[in-house]
Amino acid sequence: MEFTKTPGWLDWYAGPSQPRFKLPAGAVDAHCHVFGPGAQFPFAPERKYTPCDASQAQLFALRDQLGFARNVIVQATCHGADNSALIDALQHADGRARGVATVRRTVSDAELQAMHEAGVRGVRFNFVKRLVDFTPKDELLEIAGRVAKLGWHVVIYFEAVDLPELWDFFTAIPTTVVVDHMGRPDVTQPVDGPEFALFLRFMREHPNVWSKLSCPERLSVSGPPALQGEQAAYRDVVPFARRVMEEFPDRVLWGTDWPHPNLKDHMPDDGLLVDFIPHIAPTAEQQHQLLVDNPLRLYWPELS
Ligand SMILES: O=C(O)c1cc(C(=O)O)oc(=O)c1
């Protein structure tokens, strides 16, 4: 099948620079995606965008170039609940990738078991309205209850303004809950302001809640972008990520978000995104927790 990209689509950055920051041995890129290729793994009819291709081979080449040991591949909404591209990537990763899938309540126990064997360890619930149609909360809670029995967790993606109305639902989820991209704070607001305070309270009061300190390129308003050798990119995001790192050092993850769907302004150089890490995790101990200890505990407990 031939697909035409969404108008204005920005492709991932070819030829990223070599990071200056040396990742610790065993580092995990805990949030990245594969897109298709569309000719082999068609995009879902219900998708809200049509991306460029971003294959498993391209993802694994980036992993090796940047110095990551492992990937956590998260089902992208352009593939709906068809996890074929994700599963195929996991099966070709030599045990160096785990996955987060999207499922409907019609998924069978045998299908969940097969996903587990391929390396899936979580499901993703998405509340970002530009990406997905609404799914009833009772369906999601039913799914959460089923995957809890497999020892999986739930990844949630939402905008900060929606946290108050989603709070009761999120706090009813019986598994570990991992928040994508820090719950998308508005970084033009103060880090001590009420919006981010609510997010911190969410984590403080619920020890099962983790957060990815990812996507500065998406959250930043004033940049500067991770391009042309910039070693101090996305400065407006740093105080937010540092705050979460400092308060919850054993419940944070980091990922590239490659191939960065739906960016409008620029496509970051992924090597420079790695150079962003020491700004939010300045000590070697924090870096090890963020990049090695925490993701291994969640995705490769047998190694940790
Ligand atoms: O903000 C986004 O557009 C976005 C989209 C997706 C997806 O389509 O799955 O995943 C992400 O992590 C971020």
Side-chain angles (χ1 to χ4, degrees):
M1 212 191 282
E2 283 280 321
F3 290 95
T4 306
K5 292 184 276 189
T6 297
W9 185 266
L10 297 182
D11 291 0
W12 46 274
Y13 191 96
S17 58
Q18 207 48 43
R20 285 200 209 162
F21 173 59
K22 196 174 172 314
L23 289 164
V28 180
D29 175 353
H31 186 98
C32 51
H33 310 283
V34 288
F35 297 153
Q40 191 183 356
F41 302 107
F43 302 114
E46 72 272 24
R47 70 191 178 280
K48 306 285 185 204
Y49 63 87
T50 307
C52 63
D53 286 334
S55 72
Q56 54 180 263
Q58 289 162 330
L59 174 65
F60 299 150
L62 181 74
R63 172 198 68 196
D64 294 345
Q65 192 209 322
L66 298 180
F68 286 100
R70 298 181 176 83
N71 294 113
V72 178
I73 309 177
V74 177
Q75 172 76 350
T77 59
C78 57
H79 279 295
D82 176 353
N83 296 284
S84 323
L86 166 68
I87 301 291
D88 194 66
L90 298 179
Q91 288 172 335
H92 289 91
D94 298 322
R96 297 171 68 193
R98 295 281 190 249
V100 175
T102 295
V103 301
R104 311 272 181 243
R105 64 158 33 122
T106 48
V107 70
S108 69
D109 287 340
E111 285 168 322
L112 289 176
Q113 189 57 43
M115 285 187 212
H116 188 85
E117 276 153 31
V120 173
R121 294 293 181 267
V123 289
R124 191 182 199 201
F125 297 164
N126 204 316
F127 300 89
V128 178
K129 295 175 188 84
R130 71 184 158 80
L131 293 173
V132 286
D133 295 324
F134 175 78
T135 307
K137 307 261 186 337
D138 64 325
E139 171 166 354
L140 297 176
L141 279 181
E142 181 185 311
I143 292 168
R146 286 176 65 196
V147 304
K149 294 188 199 126
L150 293 162
W152 294 10
H153 59 271
V154 171
V155 173
I156 53 177
Y157 190 25
F158 60 94
E159 309 266 4
V161 291
D162 296 324
L163 180 55
E165 72 164 279
L166 291 164
W167 183 282
D168 289 345
F169 169 69
F170 288 161
T171 56
I173 297 174
T175 63
T176 293
V177 172
V178 182
V179 177
D180 274 340
H181 318 325
M182 287 191 287
R184 293 195 60 114
D186 173 355
V187 300
T188 65
Q189 294 191 25
V191 69
D192 293 316
E195 188 189 87
F196 204 57
L198 188 71
F199 179 70
L200 294 173
R201 182 156 82 83
F202 179 47
M203 290 195 70
R204 201 174 295 134
E205 292 180 0
H206 301 95
N208 64 320
V209 177
W210 295 41
S211 177
K212 294 179 195 164
L213 309 185
S214 45
C215 271
E217 73 285 7
R218 216 177 265 295
L219 301 174
S220 181
V221 175
S222 55
L227 286 171
Q228 288 157 350
E230 178 59 63
Q231 282 292 313
Y234 312 125
R235 276 167 236 168
D236 50 351
V237 181
V238 171
F240 292 82
R242 260 179 104 143
R243 181 65 63 87
V244 184
M245 179 80 235
E246 277 164 16
E247 188 168 347
F248 310 104
D250 55 354
R251 291 191 262 148
V252 286
L253 302 169
W254 193 87
T256 56
D257 192 38
W258 187 90
H260 312 284
N262 302 309
L263 290 185
K264 299 280 181 257
D265 178 67
H266 68 281
M267 185 52 61
D269 171 340
D270 294 282
L272 295 173
L273 268 188
V274 170
D275 289 337
F276 177 79
I277 297 173
H279 293 283
I280 62 170
T283 71
E285 187 188 359
Q286 288 173 329
Q287 292 159 11
H288 208 267
Q289 287 177 295
L290 178 68
L291 298 162
V292 185
D293 299 338
N294 298 341
L296 286 190
R297 211 161 72 249
L298 197 55
Y299 290 98
W300 284 269
E302 66 279 12
L303 299 181
S304 78

